[in-house]
Amino acid sequence: MILCVWLLSASITIPPLFGWAQNVNDEKVCLISQDFGYTIYSTAVAFYIPMSVMLFMYYQIYKAAKRSAAKHKFAGFPRPEEMEGISMNGVVKLHKESEECTNFSRLLKHDKKNISIFKREQKAATTLGIIVGAFTVCWLPFFLLSTARPFICGTACSCIPLWVERTFLWLGYANSLINPFIYAFFNRDLRTTYRNLLQCRYRNINRKLSAAGMHEALKLAEKPEFVL
């Protein structure tokens, strides 16, 4: 897989060096080839196709998370449509509530592990969604500009203001800056690791990270939090 990534990257960057169009050097900026065919090819392979794959895969993960959430609904509590059919007789209501409490207690006793896994799945899906969203927001303006430039300015030069090009480029670079903060926000172990690194506590940091992860897993399994 790593080899494929390098080969794919080479297929984007090497062609202008071997005659497929030529790079553009004007007085303002040095541009990669503005040939129409190369521009569409390079932006599609570098961004649009990978982004489409990422969005499709995240959509599949989102559907799987919804199915998982449906499986973890508490059976002891009736849905709103079921409540309409319950008699208003006080004795029947009391008996129904008693059955619900019994079912809920049984669920608390036997479903701790499943709920712990469910919470981790939901957290992972949320984190991944934010990562994909940040990647799209940060890089989409740059690649839209790169795709549109030769059609707006022609292939010989760039008519886009230099500050606009640099702003969009650095917005893309900022994606690599914010990713560690996103991961740290959703992961207490990473927050602890970052704190140790910033405070120059390097000794046994891997062992501490493993111990912290094990402690978190045991805590989730023993004391799950229920949201009703």
Side-chain angles (χ1 to χ4, degrees), residues 25-87:
N25 298 313
D26 61 17
E27 296 177 357
K28 296 180 180 179
V29 65
C30 177
L31 295 174
I32 62 172
S33 172
Q34 296 299 289
D35 176 77
F36 295 113
Y38 177 75
T39 297
I40 295 174
Y41 163 75
S42 61
T43 54
V45 175
F47 179 73
Y48 295 117
I49 294 176
M51 184 188 68
S52 300
V53 172
M54 289 171 61
L55 293 176
F56 174 76
M57 295 304 297
Y58 181 71
Y59 176 67
Q60 298 298 319
I61 292 173
Y62 172 75
K63 291 199 301 183
K66 286 190 66 175
R67 289 195 298 268
S68 179
K71 292 178 182 178
H72 287 84
K73 287 182 178 178
F74 294 108
F77 291 88
R79 295 183 176 86
E81 57 268 21
E82 294 175 351
M83 290 294 293
E84 298 176 358
I86 297 178
S87 171

Side-chain angles (χ1 to χ4, degrees), residues 32-214:
I32 62 172
S33 172
Q34 296 299 289
D35 176 77
F36 295 113
Y38 177 75
T39 297
I40 295 174
Y41 163 75
S42 61
T43 54
V45 175
F47 179 73
Y48 295 117
I49 294 176
M51 184 188 68
S52 300
V53 172
M54 289 171 61
L55 293 176
F56 174 76
M57 295 304 297
Y58 181 71
Y59 176 67
Q60 298 298 319
I61 292 173
Y62 172 75
K63 291 199 301 183
K66 286 190 66 175
R67 289 195 298 268
S68 179
K71 292 178 182 178
H72 287 84
K73 287 182 178 178
F74 294 108
F77 291 88
R79 295 183 176 86
E81 57 268 21
E82 294 175 351
M83 290 294 293
E84 298 176 358
I86 297 178
S87 171
M88 296 304 293
N89 184 285
V91 176
V92 175
K93 288 180 66 179
L94 182 61
H95 178 69
K96 185 72 175 178
E97 291 173 359
S98 176
E99 288 182 349
E100 291 167 1
C101 290
T102 302
N103 291 336
F104 184 61
S105 298
R106 190 180 300 114
L107 183 67
L108 290 178
K109 187 178 297 183
H110 296 95
D111 255 9
K112 290 182 178 180
K113 182 178 179 181
N114 289 338
I115 292 175
S116 174
I117 295 173
F118 168 68
K119 288 177 62 179
R120 285 175 175 268
E121 289 175 349
Q122 293 292 308
K123 193 172 184 179
T126 301
T127 304
L128 182 59
I130 295 175
I131 291 292
V132 173
F135 171 81
T136 303
V137 170
C138 287
W139 279 111
L140 185 60
F142 171 78
F143 279 96
L144 287 177
L145 178 64
S146 298
T147 305
R149 185 194 290 116
F151 296 94
I152 297 174
C153 306
T155 60
C157 64
S158 174
C159 60
I160 306 298
L162 187 58
W163 68 269
V164 174
E165 294 189 5
R166 287 181 174 174
T167 299
F168 286 176
L169 178 62
W170 280 98
L171 178 62
Y173 289 158
N175 179 242
S176 299
L177 172 67
I178 64 177
N179 278 343
F181 293 97
I182 295 174
Y183 284 117
F185 181 81
F186 287 96
N187 191 307
R188 191 180 67 176
D189 296 342
L190 278 180
R191 290 197 298 272
T192 302
T193 303
Y194 289 162
R195 190 181 303 113
N196 290 335
L197 290 174
L198 292 175
Q199 295 175 354
C200 298
R201 297 186 197 163
Y202 308 120
R203 188 181 181 119
N204 296 328
I205 192 169
N206 289 329
R207 186 182 303 172
K208 291 178 181 177
L209 181 60
S210 299
M214 182 62 69

